[in-house]
Amino acid sequence: MRWIVAPVLLAACGAAANGATGTTSDTGAVSSSSDASTSAAPTSGVATSDASTTTSSTSSDASTSSTSSTSSDASTSAVTATSSGSSGDSSTGAPAMTLRISPPDALVTVASGWSFPQRFVAELVDADMNAVPVLAEWTLADPPLGELTRFGGSFQADNTAAGVVQITAKHAGAEAFAEVTVVQQGDHPSCPPLPALGAGPPTPGAFVKVVAPEYAGKGVYHGLYLPPDWEPGRSYPVVVESPCNKTNAFTGKVDDARLGYHVAGCRSYIVVVFPYIQADANLDFGWGDVNAAVAYWDLNLRRTLAEFGGDPGAVISTGFSRGSISTSYVGLYNDLIADHWLGFFMHSHADVVTPLTPDQGAASATRMGRVNGRAALLSWGAAGDGGMANSQKGVALLASFGDPVTTLAVPGVGHTDAWIIDDASSRATAQDWLFATVAARTGTHVIRGRVTDPDGFGVADAAIAVGGFHVTRSDVDGYYALRGLLPGDKLVTCTHPQLSCSGDQAVVLADVDLEIDFDAS
């Protein structure tokens, strides 16, 4: 670990970073520095300051470590600033300060295709090691590894790559540097047996029964599983499953649907199991009131995301048998609900021309056409699975649309989902597809930007929305990102609980992601 610091005068502490100029985008996706003095950021541990001709260097016994996040309090003893003169001090009467980044290095782990943001803070430190956070302009040396908010210092890994990247903070002519190490965990987590569906509030590691207020006192409910690593205030990918039909050993109940639970690996993923509905009760066999099911899935998925931090741009639809067909028959029933998904995992059967749906598959091509370039995994048992033929027809149909389709023939099994528990190799293959799909967000785009007040400072807690489903909030520095958006015409809106945002913006998402800023006053 190392601190890399530069001296700056206390009189310059009030300079606002919002006034800096440069070629960096607000998200930090471009690494060009803000002026000629920062165009070649030093990497040798020496930093220069525009406010002085003195040079500072730092050293530490732990200077080779760049894979653990370290607090500033634990490392201030490693900061040594040297000065060749005190002319800067005598001209202002103010004590010299040094600029540093806390933490000086951080490890970001991508696990199951997912990672969490790492926030950095620029600080001015005096000779007594008293630190004061300051506004800074941030740049990232290697954009393919992630994004760094230009006036926020929040790093989000790309999730598809690994490596070490340097970040730079500039304040009042001084620069400081830190390193981020991004690693891919690359494992295949497994779960204990699915917990019994229980009562009570959702808690990490529990599978609980949820009754929507519209169905209080009736027989409709869904299941919710929060992963053991769930924490409030963070964002998580989501897997949505629906049950198979009741037949033989299969109950057809929400309580026993297990494919999504096991493929997610009990880490990082929220899992929801939605029912089919008939006469105000869950339906164990058949389709029931499909319009009621579509409305229930739509409304309660939105509620789940809002309450538990699900990312609307990272929702996977899955199921076995009837559940496999329903990823399309219910999940792609119309354009509204079709917009909710990032990818589709269909095991044994697919929504094709077949007597297994009420319309005999007459509109299956229309429904499956709504996959619209997103990733799909179609699997089946390789030993006498009655759903194999329909699965293979589904592969051919999606391939004819040009959608990216992955296939998996699970060896030695017929029509069952038990392999997701028993066959570690096949489960790992399915997880590879899931984690890669969530990391890359195949076939979708991003709209990102910043909400600022009239003085150019970030505005937190603004709700940015594309349609009614894809909604996020600006962070403490005003930044937002809506990921997992399908191409096409979009209306981007901004609302705030206390302030008025600038007008809605109509855009077209095509081949590139977009940056859209809003004013709030």
Side-chain angles (χ1 to χ4, degrees):
M1 177 206 73
R2 69 177 184 270
W3 291 107
I4 308 180
V5 298
V8 64
L9 298 182
L10 183 61
C13 294
N18 294 63
T21 60
T23 59
T24 321
S25 73
D26 259 1
T27 59
V30 179
S31 62
S32 301
S33 55
S34 59
D35 60 32
S37 67
T38 63
S39 61
T43 59
S44 62
V46 177
T48 60
S49 167
D50 293 344
S52 170
T53 59
T54 60
T55 301
S56 299
S57 64
T58 63
S59 63
S60 168
D61 292 340
S63 61
T64 58
S65 172
S66 62
T67 60
S68 61
S69 179
T70 310
S71 67
S72 58
D73 290 343
S75 306
T76 52
S77 61
V79 178
T80 57
T82 61
S83 174
S84 60
S86 58
S87 60
D89 295 343
S90 62
S91 64
T92 64
M97 306 285 283
T98 55
L99 181 68
R100 73 181 185 191
I101 297 174
S102 178
D105 50 56
L107 172 69
V108 174
T109 300
V110 180
S112 304
W114 197 253
S115 67
F116 300 102
Q118 171 67 51
R119 183 171 174 79
F120 294 89
V121 177
E123 299 172 326
L124 286 177
V125 186
D126 64 17
D128 295 322
M129 303 311 299
N130 298 309
V132 178
V134 293
L135 294 173
E137 182 179 17
W138 300 82
T139 54
L140 183 69
D142 190 3
L145 284 180
E147 303 169 2
L148 182 68
T149 54
R150 183 179 179 186
F151 297 116
S154 181
F155 174 82
Q156 175 63 63
D158 177 77
N159 292 340
T160 64
V164 180
V165 61
Q166 179 177 276
I167 66 173
T168 304
K170 183 174 181 178
H171 171 81
E175 289 181 319
F177 308 93
E179 283 187 346
V180 184
T181 301
V182 180
V183 298
Q184 294 281 342
Q185 190 153 320
D187 63 342
H188 298 98
S190 61
C191 294
L194 178 71
L197 189 70
T203 56
F207 186 40
V208 299
K209 178 179 180 179
V210 180
V211 178
E214 297 83 8
Y215 287 95
K218 300 176 182 178
V220 176
Y221 62 90
H222 63 274
L224 173 65
Y225 175 83
L226 300 181
D229 58 346
W230 183 87
E231 296 179 15
R234 283 186 158 186
S235 181
Y236 296 86
V238 180
V239 173
V240 173
E241 183 176 2
S242 57
C244 64
N245 271 323
K246 180 180 180 180
T247 178
N248 299 323
F250 302 105
T251 68
K253 295 182 180 296
V254 161
D255 314 42
D256 302 311
R258 58 192 178 183
L259 185 66
Y261 168 79
H262 283 286
V263 75
C266 295
R267 183 178 68 198
S268 299
Y269 287 75
I270 297 170
V271 180
V272 187
V273 183
F274 283 141
Y276 312 92
I277 299 171
Q278 183 68 49
D280 288 340
N282 285 9
L283 185 66
D284 298 342
F285 189 95
W287 298 103
D289 186 341
V290 178
N291 287 310
V294 170
Y296 186 96
W297 289 26
D298 171 50
L299 177 59
N300 288 288
L301 181 54
R302 294 173 196 243
R303 286 171 170 164
T304 301
L305 302 186
E307 186 170 356
F308 299 103
D311 185 333
V315 183
I316 302 294
S317 179
T318 191
F320 157 60
S321 195
R322 174 180 63 163
S324 178
I325 297 171
S326 75
T327 60
S328 170
Y329 187 67
V330 178
L332 298 172
Y333 193 76
N334 56 37
D335 289 337
L336 174 68
I337 196 167
D339 186 54
H340 294 5
W341 318 110
L342 176 64
F344 308 86
F345 173 23
M346 311 173 189
H347 179 65
S348 189
H349 282 302
D351 184 12
V352 293
V353 176
T354 170
L356 297 177
T357 56
D359 70 345
Q360 310 291 299
S364 59
T366 299
R367 291 187 292 267
M368 293 280 272
R370 295 187 178 113
V371 168
N372 194 18
R374 289 168 286 186
L377 169 63
L378 276 72
S379 60
W380 55 86
D385 184 351
M388 178 174 65
N390 283 338
S391 293
Q392 292 174 338
K393 290 178 183 177
V395 171
L397 181 60
L398 292 176
S400 73
F401 297 142
D403 297 325
V405 186
T406 301
T407 62
L408 170 61
V410 182
V413 300
H415 190 63
T416 182
D417 63 353
W419 63 272
I420 198 69
I421 302 171
D422 304 329
D423 184 345
S425 177
S426 295
R427 183 178 64 245
T429 300
Q431 288 181 329
D432 286 341
W433 173 87
L434 173 65
F435 302 159
T437 297
V438 169
R441 306 199 195 224
T442 308
T444 66
H445 296 283
V446 184
I447 295 177
R448 58 171 66 85
R450 193 181 189 207
V451 184
T452 53
D453 66 16
D455 295 319
F457 293 97
V459 173
D461 202 35
I464 311 299
V466 172
F469 183 77
H470 291 274
V471 182
T472 191
R473 291 191 175 274
S474 57
D475 67 13
V476 66
D477 301 300
Y479 290 95
Y480 76 90
L482 280 168
R483 296 180 169 87
L485 299 174
L486 286 172
D489 296 339
K490 307 295 177 186
L491 183 66
V492 190
T493 65
C494 172
T495 58
H496 192 275
Q498 286 86 36
L499 305 175
S500 296
C501 286
S502 51
D504 301 345
Q505 299 195 40
V507 299
V508 178
L509 268 178
D511 298 328
V512 297
D513 300 337
L514 298 178
E515 293 193 15
I516 298 176
D517 295 333
F518 289 93
D519 300 322
S521 59

